[in-house]
Amino acid sequence: MGGCFSKPKPVELKIEVVLPEKERGKEELSASGKGSPRAYQGNGTARHFHAEERLTAPHPYPGPQDCVEAAVCHVKDLENGQMREVELGWGKVLLVKDNGEFHALGHKCPHYGAPLVKGVLSRGRVRCPWHGACFNISTGDLEDFPGLDSLHKFQVKIEKEKVYVRASKQALQLQRRTKVMAKCISTSAGHSSSTNVLIVGAGAAGLVCAETLRQEGFSDRIVLCTLDRHLPYDRPKLSKSLDAQPEQLALRPKEFFRAYGIEVLTEAQVVTVDVRNKKVVFKDGFKLEYSKLLLAPGSSPKTLSCKGKEVENVFTIRTPEDANRVVRLARGRNAVVVGAGFLGMEVAAYLTEKAHSVSVVELEETPFRRFLGERVGRALMKMFENNRVKFYMQTEVSELRAQEGKLKEVVLKSSKVVRADVCVVGIGAVPATGFLRQSSVNLDSRGFIPVNKMMQTNVPGVFAAGDAVTFPLAWRNNRKVNIPHWQMAHAQGRVAAQNMLAQEAEISTVPYLWTAMFGKSLRYAGYGEGFDDVIIQGDLEELKFVAFYTKTGDMSWLTGKGS
């Protein structure tokens, strides 16, 4: 996939299975609400983080003592369109030649550290080989997601047919750059019951919205609230790395929020949204007025409704604490996973080296059947079976049996009884929008929030983004779709922020997701829901394949390679 996703080709779907490697004038946002100044309290602890300091971003050329310069190649060593990693002593740099010009950038993707030299260079941008983040080679700026940070851009000069690169030693070691952000100058920050921007939900959409506002020069108050007890964290990792601790998952440190004046209210549940008076009410009775509102509440996992559903040691993976407890309980014991979608299969893969046994219960005939099709699903199922995972397909859970209150057996409708000391339920999710049902914000029949291309709801000044929205997908004839991908939430959060500032941005990124299981990485780009047929090229047995997903009048495609 070359270039940026800003101008996608119609109906494009791509999956890879590979070995992973290690304005109109800007609108004023002013708060008009009045109220007694108080800090929001959560469980007796002040949950505001104030704009007291500013993070210092390393300048790529701060001074001669902190810089290193070296000749890295001859001008003829690279052809146009080529990239190369070069060594500067204190670290590596990605050297790019494009249209006869040389550019030097950080060589690792700031998202997960992928080597960008193995990515794709196209139209003045380099795309990460792992998860598709896109960087402008002229500036190093992040232009498509996932991820939050940009690349450092280093000085390049040509002397006597040799290419010299000059770089900051600090920047070489950090390999990431946070964009310049405005500082909050609001006098009400942390001490008022009104805010300029309120963001409900602190996932990728909420965090990117807040950061984009600061990057665009917005210097008034921003409040981000979340049901979680933690600052924003990398939620997709929960099911892929169940042992990960909250501090390892954090997307930004506490100091970041303090430095840029992004206030975070943790364990804060919004129960009412009054759009007429531009006010939200929290569960503890606290009221907060706003000028602009972003709704990014995400989704809530579905739970089992069978007999015995109240027994202990049955989990949905929602928080780091959930994931950590599952690993502790499964170690050396019997684990059952209900649901063979992405979350369930990721959990099953992770537990194979921890648990005595891992069983998967699924209503469909094969894992991923609705998403990837029968043939691809069977190939992946075989990979799991080769790693000691037992499947119980085309059945459901009828009962959870306990001993002394703790799970001991899972009884299936097929009459099978499976030993289980811990059970993880991954049978889907529903939009967490119940608090909006008495508001004037439109919800569809499934509880999703419909938005337009600018992420605007039916209510002026109220935007929505993330897993809980349906939005028009431009390259599917503006069909309203819900795509709960981490990357998509990033993009929607940015578009929402831009339109809060009257920049008239539209959502146009191509959906992208990834997963990792047993040393293999599955990558999926596009939107192929409702395909009629799947054409496979290559060897599914070896997971080296290309697949084309077709639908009457359309064609989507997928590629895969591995070893």
Side-chain angles (χ1 to χ4, degrees), residues 134-449:
C134 182
F135 303 91
N136 188 304
I137 63 172
S138 295
T139 63
D141 285 351
L142 174 70
E143 293 194 349
D144 202 3
F145 302 96
L148 298 171
D149 290 319
S150 298
L151 302 174
H152 285 288
K153 180 69 188 296
F154 305 116
Q155 292 176 332
V156 178
K157 65 179 180 180
I158 310 296
E159 288 185 358
K160 297 180 180 180
E161 300 293 294
K162 289 185 178 181
V163 180
Y164 288 82
V165 176
R166 177 181 173 84
S168 157
K169 296 174 184 176
Q170 185 181 12
L172 286 171
Q173 293 174 333
L174 288 176
Q175 286 295 325
R176 64 178 62 228
R177 171 177 60 87
T178 300
K179 286 185 178 180
V180 174
M181 296 191 189
K183 184 176 181 179
C184 180
I185 60 174
S186 172
T187 57
S188 67
H191 303 285
S192 173
S193 58
S194 65
T195 184
N196 298 91
V197 174
L198 174 62
I199 300 171
V200 179
L207 178 58
V208 170
C209 179
E211 291 199 19
T212 301
L213 288 169
R214 290 287 184 248
Q215 290 165 4
E216 294 295 319
F218 180 71
S219 59
D220 223 319
R221 190 180 185 196
I222 300 172
V223 174
L224 186 67
C225 65
T226 174
L227 280 169
D228 270 298
R229 60 185 294 185
H230 305 290
L231 294 175
Y233 58 88
D234 193 343
R235 193 178 296 277
K237 277 189 176 180
L238 288 181
S239 53
K240 298 178 179 71
S241 183
L242 281 76
D243 272 328
Q245 298 302 302
E247 57 271 18
Q248 296 172 306
L249 298 170
L251 295 171
R252 295 295 194 191
K254 183 185 296 186
E255 291 75 20
F256 177 92
F257 297 94
R258 287 175 175 160
Y260 297 117
I262 300 170
E263 301 170 55
V264 183
L265 312 183
T266 57
E267 299 179 294
Q269 181 179 356
V270 174
V271 294
T272 304
V273 176
D274 179 352
V275 298
R276 179 184 296 274
N277 295 304
K278 293 189 173 184
K279 177 173 60 180
V280 302
V281 181
F282 290 85
K283 188 176 182 179
D284 68 352
F286 176 58
K287 300 176 182 179
L288 187 61
E289 297 181 11
Y290 62 84
S291 177
K292 299 289 183 183
L293 174 66
L294 175 70
L295 299 169
S299 58
S300 300
K302 294 180 180 179
T303 58
L304 295 175
S305 57
C306 62
K307 182 180 178 181
K309 62 182 180 179
E310 72 284 349
V311 305
E312 293 183 32
N313 300 343
V314 178
F315 299 89
T316 56
I317 303 296
R318 180 65 184 170
T319 68
E321 289 77 17
D322 293 335
N324 294 170
R325 287 183 65 194
V326 166
V327 175
R328 288 196 300 269
L329 291 167
R331 208 174 295 274
R333 296 182 180 180
N334 303 300
V336 171
V337 177
V338 182
F342 283 95
L343 184 144
M345 296 295 274
E346 288 168 356
V347 170
Y350 189 82
L351 291 180
T352 53
E353 294 186 357
K354 314 287 184 183
H356 172 69
S357 70
V358 178
S359 302
V360 174
V361 179
E362 169 58 43
L363 188 59
E364 294 286 345
E365 296 178 23
T366 59
F368 306 113
R369 183 175 179 273
R370 293 183 181 179
F371 196 73
L372 303 179
E374 183 80 18
R375 295 174 64 189
V376 175
R378 286 198 180 280
L380 295 172
M381 183 174 175
K382 182 177 179 180
M383 178 178 70
F384 275 76
E385 289 173 332
N386 291 338
N387 285 275
R388 302 187 306 107
V389 176
K390 173 70 174 177
F391 285 91
Y392 297 89
M393 308 303 289
Q394 295 181 276
T395 189
E396 298 177 83
V397 176
S398 64
E399 183 182 356
L400 299 171
R401 291 179 180 168
Q403 181 178 319
E404 297 180 353
K406 296 180 180 179
L407 180 68
K408 271 302 171 186
E409 293 177 335
V410 174
V411 182
L412 308 180
K413 287 188 176 179
S414 62
S415 299
K416 292 279 186 179
V417 178
V418 185
R419 293 182 62 187
D421 299 292
V422 60
C423 178
V424 175
V425 180
I427 55 175
V430 295
T433 55
F435 68 101
L436 294 171
R437 294 199 179 278
Q438 302 304 314
S439 74
S440 299
V441 177
N442 282 347
L443 301 177
D444 69 14
S445 59
R446 297 178 298 165
F448 290 103
I449 309 168

Side-chain angles (χ1 to χ4, degrees), residues 18-22 130-131 516-521 523:
V18 300
L19 286 173
E21 303 176 27
K22 302 208 171 177
W130 290 359
H131 306 132
M517 301 169 293
F518 303 117
K520 300 286 185 180
S521 176
R523 303 174 186 176

Side-chain angles (χ1 to χ4, degrees), residues 25-38:
K26 288 190 177 180
E27 183 179 356
E28 287 247 348
L29 299 183
S30 58
S32 58
K34 298 179 181 179
S36 59
R38 77 191 270 283

